[in-house]
Amino acid sequence: MSDAVEPRRVLVVDDEEPARRLLAEYLRAHPAWRIVAEAKNGLEALQLAKEHQPDLLLLDVQMPKLDGFEVLGLLAPEIAVVFTTAFDEYAVRAFEVHAVDYLLKPFSAERLAQALARAEKRLGELRSLAAPELAQAARGPGSYLERLVIRDGAEIRIITAAAIDFVRGQDDYVEVFHDARSSLTQQTLQSLEASLDPRQFVRVHRSYLLNVSRVARIEPWGHGSKMAVLHDARTVPISRSGEARLRTVLGL
């Protein structure tokens, strides 16, 4: 019986072929790690991750279809991820603060070796920070999400921020109402609120975030409460503090 240890499985994700070739060349010096697949974009990365169940993703940040943050948000949380990125120093500091390793392009073989050593220590551990929070930290102030990417069964749903009507928080999940339907995603309402433009989305209630462009009017509801009536006649409850915030944004 052989006592040989199976190499760790690596999925390389980068839209540029030279970058994938360079990583493959560097990894040949590390027989404990084996590339099981290469992906050219984020959607392909998710399909190959499901098929090959890698231990580690070497994940580019800036890619077509889905970017690295959006991929991270849909991955199993125990998969180790090392970003390969050309982001600026602000974003690099965000990775450091949140203990997500990164390779700042262009990087050396020695730097990859360091990243592999760190990844080895984290294999199987759940990521401590959700992808939306990391993405928000990397964007910096004044920059907000333009879309959400949600896994809905076997389907990946891309929802533009402009298409969101309102969001309802449910513990560690939020239900996003959009395009005459709703989708669930594992995220807190607070983290989503921080990721969306406050000029467009207002926390009108402890459990609701509302797209102000959907508001037709504000009406009384119950004993001293208010509700927002949307253009399609749906209603969203409004707290007293939420009403003040909503009127401020609406200029009322």
Side-chain angles (χ1 to χ4, degrees), residues 8 55 77-80 119-127:
R8 303 292 193 183
D55 300 297
E78 67 274 10
I79 297 176
E120 179 71 34
K121 296 177 182 178
R122 296 200 304 272
L123 288 178
E125 294 181 2
L126 300 183
R127 285 185 292 277

Side-chain angles (χ1 to χ4, degrees), residues 17 30 33 63 93 110 117 162 179 197 205 252:
E17 184 180 355
H30 300 275
W33 300 85
M63 295 184 297
R93 286 197 300 273
E110 290 76 17
D179 303 308
D197 189 342
H205 184 277
L252 299 177

Side-chain angles (χ1 to χ4, degrees), residues 146-195:
E146 296 181 355
R147 65 184 189 178
L148 299 179
V149 179
I150 295 175
R151 188 187 294 278
D152 189 357
E155 184 178 353
I156 294 174
R157 199 171 297 282
I158 299 175
I159 307 165
T160 64
I164 298 172
D165 301 318
F166 62 94
V167 182
R168 181 169 61 200
Q170 303 179 33
D171 298 322
D172 290 334
Y173 286 81
V174 294
E175 185 174 8
V176 181
F177 292 81
H178 63 98
D179 303 308
R181 59 169 299 154
S182 70
S183 302
L184 280 175
T185 182
Q186 190 171 12
Q187 184 177 354
T188 66
L189 189 62
Q190 182 178 2
S191 69
L192 183 56
E193 180 185 9
S195 299

Side-chain angles (χ1 to χ4, degrees), residues 74-129:
L74 299 175
L75 283 176
E78 67 274 10
I79 297 176
V81 173
V82 171
F83 279 114
T84 62
T85 175
F87 269 18
D88 62 18
E89 291 182 4
Y90 182 90
V92 169
R93 286 197 300 273
F95 299 143
E96 289 177 324
V97 167
H98 298 300
V100 175
D101 206 1
Y102 67 93
L103 298 171
L104 183 59
K105 296 177 180 178
F107 52 85
S108 66
E110 290 76 17
R111 181 65 185 89
L112 175 63
Q114 293 172 5
L116 293 176
R118 293 174 183 173
E120 179 71 34
K121 296 177 182 178
R122 296 200 304 272
L123 288 178
E125 294 181 2
L126 300 183
R127 285 185 292 277
S128 60
L129 190 74

Side-chain angles (χ1 to χ4, degrees), residues 36 59 72 116 124 130 144 147 153 165 174 189 199 206 230 240:
V36 293
L59 179 61
L72 183 67
L116 293 176
Y144 301 101
R147 65 184 189 178
D165 301 318
V174 294
L189 189 62
R199 297 165 297 184
R206 67 179 181 275
L230 310 190
R240 289 184 180 179

